[in-house]
């Protein structure tokens, strides 16, 4: 990722994205440089119009991805909610029954 960030930094500064400049940025950040990765990155970016890619990336909707444990955590509150609803329904049913008994006792 550092190599991509270095190239984006060079692009935003209006500098040419070449092996020497990418290497300078990475070294300035204290990152151990891999010459092969730099060559591959520079070669791959020669055909890429970075401005267009950035525009497409900002225009595309971002779909959040959930962590693997998130579904399990999300299921727990949903189950609790269902249990609470069942309890409330039982309370309402009991209350309705009690009301019916109370009315029945009035009419004897």
């Amino acid at each position: 990722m550092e190599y991509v960030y270095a190239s984006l930094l060079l692009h935003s500064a209006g500098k040419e994205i070449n092996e020497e400049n990418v290497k300078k940025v990475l070294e300035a950040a204290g990152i151990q440089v891999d010459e092969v990765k730099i060559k591959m990155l520079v070669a791959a970016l020669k055909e890429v119009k970075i401005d267009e890619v950035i525009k497409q990336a900002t225009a595309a909707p971002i779909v959040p991805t959930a962590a693997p444990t998130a579904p399990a955590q999300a299921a727990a509150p949903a189950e609790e909610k269902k249990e609470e609803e069942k309890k409330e329904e039982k309370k309402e049913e009991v209350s309705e029954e009690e009301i019916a008994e109370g009315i029945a006792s009035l009419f004897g």
Side-chain angles (χ1 to χ4, degrees):
M1 277 316 262
E2 298 91 4
Y3 295 83
V4 174
Y5 290 143
S7 61
L8 288 172
L9 182 62
L10 288 168
H11 174 75
S12 78
K15 305 287 183 182
E16 181 183 357
I17 300 173
N18 58 31
E19 293 176 31
E20 182 182 339
N21 288 345
V22 172
K23 184 177 179 178
K24 286 179 184 178
V25 170
L26 293 172
E27 287 175 345
I31 297 170
Q32 187 175 4
V33 177
D34 183 350
E35 297 287 336
V36 174
K37 285 184 180 179
I38 291 176
K39 288 181 182 185
M40 289 174 34
L41 175 76
V42 171
L45 291 177
K46 284 190 181 202
E47 301 294 322
V48 175
K49 296 179 181 176
I50 295 174
D51 288 325
E52 289 180 19
V53 173
I54 291 172
K55 285 179 186 176
Q56 288 176 352
T58 57
I62 298 174
V63 179
T65 56
T69 57
Q73 292 173 351
E79 289 175 11
E80 290 176 10
K81 206 177 231 185
K82 287 179 184 178
E83 289 177 17
E84 288 178 17
E85 289 175 1
K86 287 181 181 179
K87 287 179 183 178
E88 288 178 14
E89 287 176 9
K90 287 181 182 179
K91 286 180 183 177
E92 288 177 9
E93 288 175 11
V94 172
S95 298
E96 290 175 7
E97 289 173 5
E98 290 175 352
I99 292 171
E101 288 176 9
I103 293 174
S105 66
L106 288 174
F107 297 106

